[in-house]
Amino acid sequence: MTAAKLPPLPPLPRPYQDTAAYWAAARKHRFIIQKCTDCGEFQFYPRGVCSHCLSSALEWQEASGRGEVYSYSVNYRAPHPGFADKTPFVLALVTLEEGPRMMTNIVDCDPESVQIGMAVTVTFDDVTEEITLPKFRPA
Amino acid sequence: MRDVAIVGVAESDIGVVPDKSKFQLSAEASRGALEDAGLSIRDVDGIFTNIITEGGQFSSMMMAEYMGITPRYTDSTSLGGSSFVVYVEHAAMAIAAGMCDVALICHGSTNISDRGGKGGPVSHVSDVFGPTQFEEPYGISTVGAYALAAQRHMHEYGTTSEQLAEIAVATRKWASLNPKARMRDPITIDDVMNSRVIASPLHLLDCCLVTDAGGAVVLTSLERARDLKKAPVQLLGSGEAHTHRMISQMPDLTQTAAAISGKLAFERSGLSHGDIDVAEIYDSFTITVLLTLESLGFCGKGEGGDFVSNQRTAPGGDFPMNTQGGALSYTHPGMFGIFTVIEAVRQLRGECGPRQVGDARVALCNGTGGTLSSTGTIILGRD
Ligand SMILES: [Zn+2]
Ligand SMILES: [Zn+2]
């Protein structure tokens, strides 16, 4: 009965064939991305093939967790009931040191202080028992 | 290959229409467009729609069944709001190749009545399957995605919120000349700047409306069009492209697929930018317009802010744009593309009354769909 009183959760990922390893690693506070052993390119998000050359020869690598803000927006309106108690929050695109870009939130700082080009580093948000979201904070 | 013309256009009731389903809005717009053309529903042998069904599938079968027709050509290409501009290209190819003779493009949506008459978020998804699980858990929204593009454009080129506001203000001036427009009271740049920030740097008045609406467009061969009720509006050139599905995968946040679709449309029409008398540019947000004008090549990359300054796109300006009042002030039922086509045709026919662009002979429409993902560009001219 008490569960009904908790604020609703944001939408959470349901891991599938392409992404199960990524979410399992995140659960252990490890941030891994895919590298293609045929063409040498990194990619994000995880896929069953390389989006540069269509090879299936992909391997997981520990990413440095460092990157910089490519763009951001301070969001004042909740897109989903799960964000109602989280506004304002910083939606951002971060360019990883390895090259690919990903969507994330910038946390542990004043939302108004975020800037394009800001150096950031990965941090882990344990949202539920099963799901941990990699997020970023100022480096 | 046969030349192709648009011969009928219509809206349904638009605004807040709680007593009609989206299927009825789509069908009534279709009836209106066929009447406009002097054709009957029995003449239609091709249907193009991606009306949102429960489960999101089978749109063209649902609408054909609803209207009691048996098409021999069908297309439910799902590119978001650009789909209906892209359908003009697809319908033209089908007609040119003899796969159908009378193509009906139609759309209906009860986007505001579905939300109980109020705007705002509707997502209640709890778990996310597929690649969008790398965006939705972080709070992505349509406005949030477009805000990322706006922020990046400001960073790279020094574009300002005032320049984006110029677009909203000019579009409202056009809306004030259109009795069907939902928002007709004049606004100022300060009004836009002082409206609340939804997702920085975008303010409430940088964002499109949420409404109910239906629209329809009928096409046939130019040869047959010349025997119909109204002067044909010929398709002179078209292009389509998409660069990504999710904004996090967009190759360059400051350039849309219009750089590809627009180039194709100009090349295929043999026309150049100076030939365009009126432009109908999908305006989900002010930034959508600015990126599109640059991507289409009406100005250089990064010059969009200067291009729209001093109310250049307003009535009396030298670049008439979004002359019905756009998605920002006229109507926006979730997917707007079809309304760019409807207005362009009316402008070329000289049917626009107080908002008529004098001697409009060539019009360009650009639809944008997804999250700056897909575009369709068409260039239309009087026969
Ligand atoms: Zn590869
Ligand atoms: Zn009857």
Side-chain angles (χ1 to χ4, degrees):
Chain A
M1 298 310 275
T2 50
K5 292 206 172 82
L6 292 171
L9 288 168
L12 292 175
R14 173 155 40 111
Y16 59 103
Q17 292 91 333
D18 295 351
T19 69
Y22 175 86
W23 294 116
R27 190 74 202 91
K28 294 173 187 154
H29 291 201
R30 289 175 55 229
F31 181 55
I32 60 173
I33 62 173
Q34 289 178 311
K35 186 176 187 181
C36 175
T37 61
D38 275 334
C39 75
E41 297 276 354
F42 287 96
Q43 72 178 0
F44 196 92
Y45 53 92
R47 297 159 165 92
V49 299
C50 170
S51 58
H52 303 278
C53 76
L54 213 61
S55 167
S56 298
L58 296 163
E59 63 178 29
W60 292 99
Q61 289 206 356
E62 200 92 28
S64 73
R66 289 187 294 270
E68 67 170 52
V69 175
Y70 173 73
S71 195
Y72 73 95
S73 170
V74 184
N75 282 226
Y76 293 89
R77 189 165 73 184
H80 179 284
F83 292 91
D85 60 341
K86 294 177 177 62
T87 55
F89 65 92
V90 181
L91 181 74
L93 299 177
V94 164
T95 307
L96 302 175
E97 198 169 61
E98 291 80 8
R101 193 182 300 152
M102 68 180 283
M103 182 166 285
T104 190
N105 298 130
I106 309 298
V107 296
D108 300 340
C109 64
D110 174 5
E112 308 286 346
S113 71
V114 174
Q115 293 195 339
I116 289 177
M118 180 187 238
V120 290
T121 188
V122 74
T123 181
F124 295 92
D125 182 359
D126 298 320
V127 186
T128 66
E129 292 286 309
E130 294 81 28
I131 294 295
T132 294
L133 295 177
K135 295 184 176 179
F136 286 77
R137 59 177 170 76
Chain B
M1 300 282 272
R2 298 189 288 177
D3 285 330
V4 173
I6 298 174
V7 294
V9 297
E11 302 122 316
S12 67
D13 295 343
I14 64 173
V16 181
V17 194
D19 56 333
K20 291 188 179 183
S21 73
K22 57 190 169 186
F23 308 108
Q24 183 176 0
L25 294 179
S26 179
E28 290 186 349
S30 299
R31 186 176 65 215
L34 288 161
E35 283 170 3
D36 190 48
L39 290 166
S40 130
I41 188 70
R42 297 286 143 241
D43 295 309
V44 175
D45 58 1
I47 187 163
F48 301 73
T49 189
N50 68 352
I51 191 169
I52 296 172
T53 58
E54 306 323 307
Q57 295 173 308
F58 309 133
S59 301
S60 58
M61 286 193 286
M62 178 70 78
M63 276 315 301
E65 177 184 277
Y66 195 88
M67 296 188 288
I69 59 174
T70 309
R72 61 190 172 103
Y73 196 88
T74 194
D75 187 343
S76 293
T77 298
S78 179
L79 296 171
S82 66
S83 303
F84 307 89
V85 183
V86 168
Y87 291 155
V88 172
E89 174 172 285
H90 292 189
M93 288 191 291
I95 293 164
M99 307 304 281
C100 67
D101 285 318
V102 175
L104 171 64
I105 303 172
C106 56
H107 182 53
S109 160
T110 43
N111 213 26
I112 187 133
S113 292
D114 292 351
R115 307 179 194 200
K118 294 186 302 200
V122 286
S123 172
H124 294 276
V125 175
S126 60
D127 74 335
V128 190
F129 181 78
T132 57
Q133 67 184 229
F134 291 94
E135 290 197 340
E136 288 192 41
Y138 297 108
I140 184 70
S141 58
T142 309
V143 61
Y146 282 73
L148 293 170
Q151 195 81 261
R152 185 72 198 180
H153 199 276
M154 289 177 171
H155 173 78
E156 286 192 31
Y157 300 111
T159 305
T160 65
S161 288
E162 287 86 347
Q163 289 171 328
L164 292 178
E166 291 267 6
I167 295 167
V169 172
T171 305
R172 182 62 64 85
K173 288 178 186 166
W174 286 110
S176 74
L177 303 175
N178 180 2
K180 290 179 182 166
R182 181 156 170 76
M183 304 296 278
R184 302 188 61 204
D185 293 337
I187 52 172
T188 65
I189 288 174
D190 279 346
D191 289 336
V192 181
M193 301 289 293
N194 293 331
S195 64
R196 66 195 163 92
V197 176
I198 305 294
S200 70
L202 297 179
H203 301 79
L204 179 67
L205 292 178
D206 287 301
C207 304
C208 62
L209 308 173
V210 179
T211 71
D212 304 330
V217 171
V218 178
L219 300 94
T220 191
S221 65
L222 181 60
E223 188 186 3
R224 185 168 178 185
R226 287 177 175 144
D227 296 330
L228 295 178
K229 204 158 114 188
K230 292 197 174 162
V233 168
Q234 196 179 344
L235 178 63
L236 302 175
S238 64
E240 62 179 276
H242 48 91
T243 50
H244 60 281
R245 163 66 191 90
M246 303 195 296
I247 194 85
S248 57
Q249 302 291 312
M250 187 169 179
D252 174 351
L253 280 185
T254 65
Q255 180 170 292
T256 79
I260 303 167
S261 63
K263 188 164 183 287
L264 289 169
F266 276 111
E267 281 171 5
R268 289 166 178 168
S269 67
L271 296 172
S272 60
H273 295 81
D275 296 318
I276 305 300
D277 298 312
V278 56
E280 306 296 344
I281 306 292
Y282 197 113
D283 55 340
S284 44
F285 300 92
T286 50
I287 186 64
T288 318
V289 175
L290 192 129
L291 296 180
T292 302
L293 290 171
E294 292 180 8
S295 299
L296 289 171
F298 283 105
C299 58
K301 208 172 172 191
E303 296 172 2
D306 281 340
F307 186 86
V308 300
S309 288
N310 302 313
Q311 291 298 288
R312 185 172 188 182
T313 69
D318 71 1
F319 192 84
M321 182 185 81
N322 298 353
T323 49
Q324 81 290 63
L328 291 170
S329 288
Y330 152 69
T331 205
H332 185 77
M335 294 189 283
F336 181 72
I338 200 160
F339 300 98
T340 68
V341 182
I342 291 168
E343 177 68 6
V345 168
R346 288 176 173 159
Q347 285 287 346
L348 294 172
R349 288 172 173 174
E351 294 178 339
C352 289
R355 68 177 194 278
Q356 180 64 46
V357 174
D359 201 36
R361 305 189 69 81
V362 178
L364 178 145
C365 303
N366 190 91
T368 304
T371 46
L372 291 165
S373 317
S374 64
T375 58
T377 311
I378 59 173
I379 297 174
L380 304 173
R382 287 193 220 162
D383 181 21

